[in-house]
Amino acid sequence: MQPASRPWRRPSIPALARGALSTAALSLGVVSSGAPPLQAQTAATEIVFASGPDDSGTVQRLLDAFNAAHRGEIQVVWREMAPENDAHRRELMDALESTPGGIDLLAADVIWTAELAHGERVVDLTDRFYDDFRRDAFLPAPLESATYRLRIWGIPWYTDAGLLFYRRDLLAASGFTEPPGTWDELARMARTVMDDSGIRYGFVFQGAPYEGGTANAAEFIWSAGGDLMTPRLAVTGVVVNAVTEVDSVSVGSPAAARGLDIARELVADGVAPAAVTGFREQETLDVFAAGEAVFLRNWPYAYAALQRAGLAAHRIGIAPIPAASGPDGRSASALGGWNLMINASSSDAEQEAAWTLVRFLTGEDQQRLRAAEAGLLPVLEALYQDPDLVAQVPGMGVGARVFESQLRARPISPFYGAVSDRIAEAFQRVLTGEWTGSEATARLENELRAIVQRNR
């Protein structure tokens, strides 16, 4: 069992003046550290930073710059975790349980906040946050994703939203000037382009039974006016936040069933291939990059990844997720992203060093670099007012529109893993035609209620 989280104790080390990074750091393309370096110690404090793979190479560049700026004080070792979300979570939880202190700073998916905080595996950063950051500097949704029971357990690193990518050139060749606004329009456009161009698939998305499947299922349900679960809310001062314990299950509605049926119809009608029942992010990305699909549902990083794969930028368009037709239809995008959290079992010196790295990685210059080179959406409000950066990273422009009214969070709960497993399995069974939407939502209503009851 993980030891209880200690309250943060700031070591009695006088803060040094802020300054630019060393010449070595500047040569790596990083302008500012975003945090004052620690006073030199007799031996450098070594910390381990765990995050997912990075095809863009920006994580290693940033860590090299940080190490150069803090030589003799802090040395960061990067531990690259599994690329797929569920495997990454298992690897991380195993590491936190079996080797306390082995990982000092971790990048955690937004859906893991409640579990990590509830299990006291990570440090409560609330006081640290308000000492060193301004709340209004961050986009609201990413910051709320790092909050559990009105305490802040992580600092947003980058954010995500489900988006629709499309072949702008193929749509134009078939006479379409705008992306689809509804699922019906997507199906009609896809069939037309498939007939005109001979392209193999109309639409590819994530339908495998894993976390990505849950996010896709949620978007189809939300797009038809349905819901999954309703959390209890707490209000304190200017903060309104889901407390995490989910009080009511609301997935058993006709609207939720219709959303799942829309997904099945796309497969049954040949707009999406039957193979989507086994597709994760990488498979859909590979298909789209190979020029075999008109539309793709993925996360913002896909834009930069597609360019690295050789698909020219002018051929790629980005739009919000379509809505269901009718008065209840609405575009809805699943909130994603990753937060930086500190291992509660690390020593005080390691926690202090980890906080210095957090300050660096969330600095404006580092956020800008990650957006420009990795296509990841920054968490700082100010960067969305930079027209040059928004033009360079098209996902930021679409993302800003999505953040205003279309972004939705998956259920926030310390037992979210059990909830997600049930949703992902039901979604796959609907896609294969084994269950109808109404059968799936009726089963989910009962199963999710049982999970809530067991964990009260």
Side-chain angles (χ1 to χ4, degrees):
M1 188 72 181
Q2 197 72 13
S5 174
R6 298 188 296 266
W8 188 283
R9 297 195 299 275
R10 185 190 296 270
S12 56
I13 300 173
L16 299 181
R18 295 172 182 265
L21 287 179
S22 65
T23 303
L26 287 171
S27 70
L28 290 164
V30 182
V31 179
S32 171
S33 69
L38 297 178
Q39 188 177 38
Q41 301 172 12
T42 55
T45 299
E46 182 174 289
I47 59 173
V48 176
F49 172 47
S51 71
D54 171 38
D55 292 339
S56 71
T58 57
V59 170
Q60 190 62 64
R61 287 180 62 202
L62 289 172
L63 295 182
D64 288 344
F66 180 88
N67 284 335
H70 294 271
R71 185 172 289 114
E73 302 165 357
I74 303 172
Q75 177 68 27
V76 181
V77 176
W78 179 30
R79 176 171 172 179
E80 188 174 308
M81 308 296 277
E84 189 267 306
N85 183 288
D86 292 354
H88 183 150
R89 177 191 167 277
R90 288 192 297 271
E91 189 176 334
L92 177 64
M93 296 302 180
D94 287 346
L96 292 177
E97 289 288 348
S98 61
T99 55
I103 292 173
D104 302 295
L105 181 66
L106 53 119
D109 193 303
V110 295
I111 57 174
W112 302 342
T113 298
E115 181 180 10
L116 289 166
H118 187 78
E120 299 182 321
R121 296 180 175 94
V122 293
V123 174
D124 180 347
L125 298 176
T126 308
D127 293 341
R128 269 286 188 172
F129 176 84
Y130 286 109
D131 283 348
D132 292 347
F133 293 104
R134 289 186 300 107
R135 188 179 186 93
D136 62 3
F138 290 84
L139 295 170
L143 187 54
E144 288 173 9
S145 78
T147 307
Y148 174 73
R149 293 185 173 175
L150 303 178
R151 306 295 292 177
I152 296 172
W153 300 88
I155 308 302
W157 187 22
Y158 64 89
T159 190
D160 262 338
L163 298 175
L164 181 72
F165 296 80
Y166 61 94
R167 284 289 301 275
R168 186 192 304 273
D169 55 336
L170 295 180
L171 260 63
S174 291
F176 299 113
T177 58
E178 298 291 336
T182 67
W183 293 118
D184 286 345
E185 290 176 356
L186 180 145
R188 177 172 57 85
M189 290 181 179
R191 291 191 195 96
T192 300
V193 174
M194 291 166 74
D195 289 343
D196 290 349
S197 68
I199 199 167
R200 190 176 181 185
Y201 302 130
F203 178 44
V204 289
F205 57 94
Q206 296 82 48
Y210 78 118
E211 186 54 43
T214 298
N216 280 251
E219 289 171 349
F220 276 107
I221 288 171
W222 293 331
S223 77
D227 210 341
L228 296 170
M229 304 173 80
T230 304
R232 186 189 324 139
L233 296 179
V235 181
T236 175
V238 297
V239 179
V240 179
N241 191 73
V243 177
T244 66
E245 280 69 31
V246 180
D247 284 332
S248 64
V249 176
S250 48
V251 73
S253 69
R258 184 184 176 220
L260 294 181
D261 282 334
I262 289 171
R264 168 58 189 166
E265 287 166 9
L266 291 171
V267 177
D269 294 346
V271 174
V276 294
T277 58
F279 278 6
R280 300 171 185 248
E281 280 88 355
Q282 190 59 51
E283 287 84 3
T284 59
L285 197 63
D286 290 344
V287 168
F288 193 81
E292 295 184 337
V294 184
F295 297 104
L296 160 72
R297 185 271 176 207
N298 215 306
W299 305 99
Y301 80 92
Y303 184 81
L306 290 169
Q307 288 185 279
R308 289 196 296 271
L311 193 58
H314 71 274
R315 301 170 69 186
I316 310 169
I318 310 177
I321 299 293
S325 300
D328 295 327
R330 60 193 182 197
S331 176
S333 176
L335 170 68
W338 294 74
N339 301 320
L340 299 172
M341 296 181 166
I342 296 174
N343 189 349
S345 69
S346 294
S347 70
D348 287 346
E350 289 164 341
Q351 290 184 14
E352 181 71 14
W355 182 252
T356 303
L357 180 56
V358 169
R359 289 284 310 275
F360 171 74
L361 291 175
T362 55
E364 186 170 308
D365 294 323
Q366 288 66 259
Q367 290 274 302
R368 186 185 304 277
L369 179 70
R370 291 277 276 162
E373 297 194 7
L376 300 173
L377 300 190
V379 295
L380 301 178
E381 289 265 18
L383 293 180
Y384 290 82
Q385 309 308 314
D386 182 337
D388 292 335
L389 185 62
V390 171
Q392 188 177 0
V393 188
M396 288 181 63
V398 178
R401 285 160 39 205
V402 168
F403 294 154
E404 288 180 4
S405 61
Q406 299 161 3
L407 199 62
R408 299 284 300 272
R410 285 159 282 176
I412 302 170
S413 167
F415 47 89
Y416 173 78
V419 169
S420 177
D421 287 346
R422 301 269 55 80
I423 295 171
E425 180 187 359
F427 185 49
Q428 188 190 50
R429 292 191 179 213
V430 171
L431 294 177
T432 62
E434 183 178 350
W435 292 349
T436 65
S438 60
E439 288 171 338
T441 53
R443 288 172 182 262
L444 279 175
E445 183 81 13
N446 292 331
E447 291 173 346
L448 300 190
R449 284 183 185 275
I451 292 171
V452 171
Q453 190 62 39
R454 284 197 305 271
N455 288 276
R456 276 190 174 147

